[in-house]
Amino acid sequence: HRRLMALVKAGGPSQTFDFLRCGRKSFQLGARLEEIFEALQKLGLSDSSKYHSASSGAPVSVRNDCDELVPYRPLSAKRVKLTGQGSWDCSNYLSELFYVPFREPRINMFDIQPPAGAFPDVSGSTGEEEFALALVWDAKNLLRLYPEELCPKELSSYTRVFGNYKDAETDRQIGDRRGQNFREGRLAGPSKSLPTMTSLLQICVARYDEVLCGSATDRKDFYHQFFATDEKASLNCLFPKFDLNRFLQCKAYDSYAEKFLKKSRYDRVAQGDMLHGLTSKGPYSADMKVVACFGAIFQGDHLGVELATDSHSNLLCAAGLLGDESRLRSDFPLACDSKVDGLVIDDYFCLSREPRALSSDLSASGSVAAFKTAKRVYSREGLIGSDAKDVVGSPRRHACRASEV
């Protein structure tokens, strides 16, 4: 019994665990479990009950009586919170497999039609929320405008943006890009080897003599910090199309005019010596149709996780982190466990074995040194993070207990 108790303690938390704090879907999990529990109580345990006879068809009532239980909801532009500004060009850190598909995704497109139900229906959109969203994008330098001729012709390639509940006042932005995803070829990337919890079982801390020190940091709104080329952004389209004159006060209009509007013929008598450059943007038609596009990577882009993980990994590898022998992966064993690190898309973490005598002050640990290196890299690249969520030199006591069983 003592052996079993030791295993139970090693495999689970030592204190009461609140699963409602364990992730974004935890409220859904709690509600669904409660509904099933209530349904089972109503069935009873008699010989004739559906529960006892293992028959199916018993109703389970759904209860969504708070915002957290409705995580996905129609777009409300005023609730969308964006932090990234599409300023990091990851091109220099992409592997050869992803470089061209990222720079020019049409090279990875097939001339096929997604089946019914495999793409969002945008035909009924009035465009008012979409236009309001475009203004939110423009404030973050994420709005791109393109002539309708340069964007997809099929409505199935357009993106429907919806909200993912974040808190009482804000939503995350999710792009339903299934139609465009369907047309783009799948590329096997680093997401298949992301570390899992079982990967940690390879770390062997010396019983009684060592502690495990952990540090972690993540990038804030990571996908939206990526700069997208015009070729990439022009496939992140909102529907419906808009009249160009609705965007005259937007920053994106200036970029559009520079790229696509013909400048007026130079008249020296009217415009002088042009010491301050050409002031006129040239003629345009008020009813010229343009498409509002997103100038970063949508959360909902099926290659987004591969692009983000691949470039992030190569960025840190160039700084001496994520070494082959000590990187935690789900598809490859560790060769050295004195200091190990890993990457889960935008979250970098490092664990190091340290003498127990130093457990009161782990500031000089290998874990903290790796953390500081990663932070310097992020600062140099202008990749913002959630500093309040950083973990710096924290003793992972539950991991140590697991090694002592």
Side-chain angles (χ1 to χ4, degrees), residues 98-110 177 180 183-185 187 228-236 301-303 307:
F98 296 107
Y99 181 85
V100 176
F102 172 71
R103 300 290 301 185
E104 174 45 286
R106 286 172 177 82
I107 199 172
N108 190 40
M109 284 178 57
F110 293 84
R177 197 175 178 271
Q180 186 58 37
R183 290 186 169 89
E184 294 177 1
L187 299 174
T229 62
D230 285 333
E231 292 77 11
K232 175 71 174 174
S234 63
L235 296 176
N236 292 336
D301 185 327
H302 77 156
L303 282 181
L307 296 169

Side-chain angles (χ1 to χ4, degrees), residues 64-92:
N64 289 330
D65 50 4
C66 65
D67 285 337
E68 289 85 350
L69 299 181
V70 189
Y72 304 115
R73 65 264 317 274
L75 172 65
S76 175
K78 65 181 180 182
R79 286 181 54 86
V80 170
K81 180 181 180 180
L82 295 172
T83 303
Q85 299 191 38
S87 57
W88 187 56
D89 188 352
C90 69
S91 300
N92 291 334

